[in-house]
Amino acid sequence: MELQLTKPICFFDLETTGTNVAKDRIVEISVLKIFPNGNKESKTWLVNPEMEIPQNVVAIHGISNEKVANEPTFKELSKEIYNLIKDSDLGGFNSDRFDIPLLAEEMLRAEIDFDMKNRVSVDVQTIFHKMEKRTLGAAYAFYCNKDLTDAHSAEADTLATYEVLLSQLDRYPELENNIKKLSEFSTRRQSLDFAGFIILDEDEDAAFSFGKHKGKKVHEVLDKEPGYFGWILNADFPLYTKKVLTQIKLSKFNNKLG
């Protein structure tokens, strides 16, 4: 089976210095680009994260500080990576909750205005968990009857993720071979920022999903407590969350002027 595509889709995987989207950095990124005509293009980069990789993390993915010491930084690679994915939808394994948010942070730090406005994402892990409730290694064995011997290698994980999605389409006739439909099925909840701090409520209004204002509309909170906006901007939230919140605040201000 081949994916039915109207535009390219880039499956990608990150190896990082840790799991904190706002603080951690990429040490390896692999992208597998699938074109509507079936052609494939793949590229893998090692990245100097400009910070120490903890030894417990090195033990997981095997990428040491010495290995990336002389590699280019993400900022140096950012335009090349962006040019590869800019015309594409995105796919990954746990990508909606981790890989896409962290990639967005790196892009914003490199002064590239990355967003998802003209693309959708397919999270193969979500499809897997909805159907079978397991992990990537188990998914690869279950769907493809193969062992993922190079788990936590970005290139191996990327290829495995793509193969798992193809097998999922073969196994589940109720899954439509359509990237937009797969994106809708694999989305956990609708959020305006990648990290899920700002969501859409039942009225389709922006609302906070955390803290003392959890469930409250963003506009109402900012009107009643203007300092909350400044607190978020100065706190340890992802850059993309701050960007979205600023856009919401500016849209409210512009509406008042109008």
Side-chain angles (χ1 to χ4, degrees):
M1 176 179 287
E2 293 293 333
L3 286 176
Q4 294 179 11
L5 303 175
T6 57
K7 65 189 292 187
I9 182 169
C10 285
F11 292 89
F12 78 103
D13 186 71
L14 307 177
E15 301 302 337
T16 65
T17 59
T19 58
N20 186 312
V21 169
K23 291 183 176 180
D24 281 304
R25 302 290 191 267
I26 295 170
V27 299
E28 185 180 36
I29 176 171
S30 186
V31 179
L32 174 64
K33 187 171 186 176
I34 313 295
F35 293 87
N37 64 4
N39 288 346
K40 300 177 179 67
E41 178 183 354
S42 64
K43 181 72 175 178
T44 300
W45 298 266
L46 283 171
V47 184
N48 182 341
E50 301 181 278
M51 66 181 292
E52 188 80 7
I53 309 172
Q55 286 307 305
N56 63 316
V57 177
V58 174
I60 294 172
H61 55 49
I63 301 173
S64 65
N65 291 285
E66 293 75 19
K67 188 173 183 179
V68 296
N70 296 317
E71 298 295 335
T73 65
F74 186 87
K75 186 168 186 177
E76 291 170 331
L77 294 168
S78 58
K79 289 183 180 178
E80 182 181 0
I81 295 170
Y82 181 74
N83 286 336
L84 181 61
I85 68 174
K86 66 181 180 181
D87 63 342
S88 306
D89 293 323
L90 298 178
F93 198 87
N94 194 33
S95 50
D96 282 355
R97 290 193 296 177
F98 181 71
D99 297 85
I100 292 175
L102 201 149
L103 178 63
E105 291 298 292
E106 291 278 37
M107 286 291 183
L108 290 173
R109 278 190 287 267
E111 300 179 347
I112 292 178
D113 192 16
F114 176 86
D115 60 45
M116 295 290 290
K117 289 179 181 176
N118 298 312
R119 67 177 102 217
V120 298
S121 65
V122 177
D123 193 328
V124 175
Q125 186 194 60
T126 303
I127 296 174
F128 180 42
H129 285 178
K130 284 186 174 182
M131 296 297 191
E132 304 295 344
K133 316 281 188 207
R134 298 184 187 174
T135 64
L136 178 56
Y140 200 46
F142 182 83
Y143 289 109
C144 305
N145 197 28
K146 298 178 183 179
D147 291 327
L148 186 53
T149 54
D150 293 325
H152 295 297
S153 155
E155 185 173 6
D157 288 357
T158 298
L159 181 58
T161 298
Y162 169 60
E163 291 183 20
V164 166
L165 178 58
L166 296 182
S167 294
Q168 286 173 331
L169 289 168
D170 279 330
R171 180 175 290 267
Y172 307 117
E174 64 267 37
L175 286 179
E176 188 173 342
N177 191 343
N178 175 283
I179 294 300
K180 188 173 186 299
K181 296 294 185 182
L182 290 170
S183 173
E184 292 171 355
F185 186 82
S186 65
T187 299
R188 289 179 172 84
R189 65 177 177 178
Q190 195 168 8
S191 61
L192 298 178
D193 65 326
F194 296 129
F197 289 112
I198 303 173
I199 60 174
L200 289 178
D201 64 13
E202 57 187 14
D203 300 321
E204 297 292 305
D205 292 330
F208 290 110
S209 68
F210 68 96
K212 65 179 183 179
H213 295 305
K214 183 175 181 179
K216 296 180 182 178
K217 297 181 187 298
V218 171
H219 287 318
E220 293 178 359
V221 171
L222 297 187
D223 283 343
K224 294 178 181 177
E225 191 178 336
Y228 198 63
F229 175 74
W231 174 76
I232 290 178
L233 290 190
N234 291 312
D236 192 21
F237 286 92
L239 294 175
Y240 197 84
T241 300
K242 296 176 182 180
K243 173 186 171 182
V244 169
L245 188 62
T246 301
Q247 290 173 336
I248 293 171
K249 184 177 175 64
L250 288 175
S251 68
K252 179 72 171 179
F253 178 72
N254 291 334
N255 287 339
K256 286 181 178 180
L257 289 179

